Structure formats: C-alpha cells, structure tokens
Amino acid sequence: MTELYAEKIEDALKSYIADHPGTLTREQAISTILETWFASHGYLPSQQEGMRPEDLDASNDD
C-alpha cells in the first residue's frame, strides 16, 4: 500500500471513530466497517432480526 493511500485510509478511519463515539478502539472501528461492508454486499447475512419461518402463522399477519 502506498503511503498516500495509507494516509487517506487512516484519515477516514479517524473520522469514522470521531463520528461513532461508542467505538472504543481502532480495531473495533475496522471490524464494524468490514462487517457493514460485507453484509451490504451479500458476503454476510444482514443483522436484521425477525421471526423464524417456523414461528410464522396467520396471527403474525399485519
């Protein structure tokens, strides 16, 4: 990785951490960013919670 590229990534990471006060460490920020990206691109299941198909019946319809 070139120094210029690394600097841009590091600056973006610092901005992300500043915008997300619950992120305590650099490693947590990187993990969150990667998990979000992987989920949004179909590599990980989304974090949406829902009912399991076997738990659905007519009483669940809205």
Side-chain angles (χ1 to χ4, degrees), residues 2-16:
T2 68
E3 186 61 36
L4 178 60
Y5 184 71
E7 186 176 324
K8 287 181 181 180
I9 296 295
E10 195 61 39
D11 289 346
L13 187 57
K14 288 176 184 175
S15 293
Y16 179 90

Side-chain angles (χ1 to χ4, degrees), residues 8-36:
K8 287 181 181 180
I9 296 295
E10 195 61 39
D11 289 346
L13 187 57
K14 288 176 184 175
S15 293
Y16 179 90
I17 292 169
D19 289 345
H20 296 82
T23 304
L24 302 177
T25 67
R26 184 177 189 277
E27 288 75 21
Q28 285 178 326
I30 292 169
S31 179
T32 300
I33 292 165
L34 287 172
E35 187 173 325
T36 302

Side-chain angles (χ1 to χ4, degrees), residues 33-47:
I33 292 165
L34 287 172
E35 187 173 325
T36 302
W37 188 90
F38 285 135
S40 70
H41 288 82
Y43 296 102
L44 282 174
S46 69
Q47 298 297 329

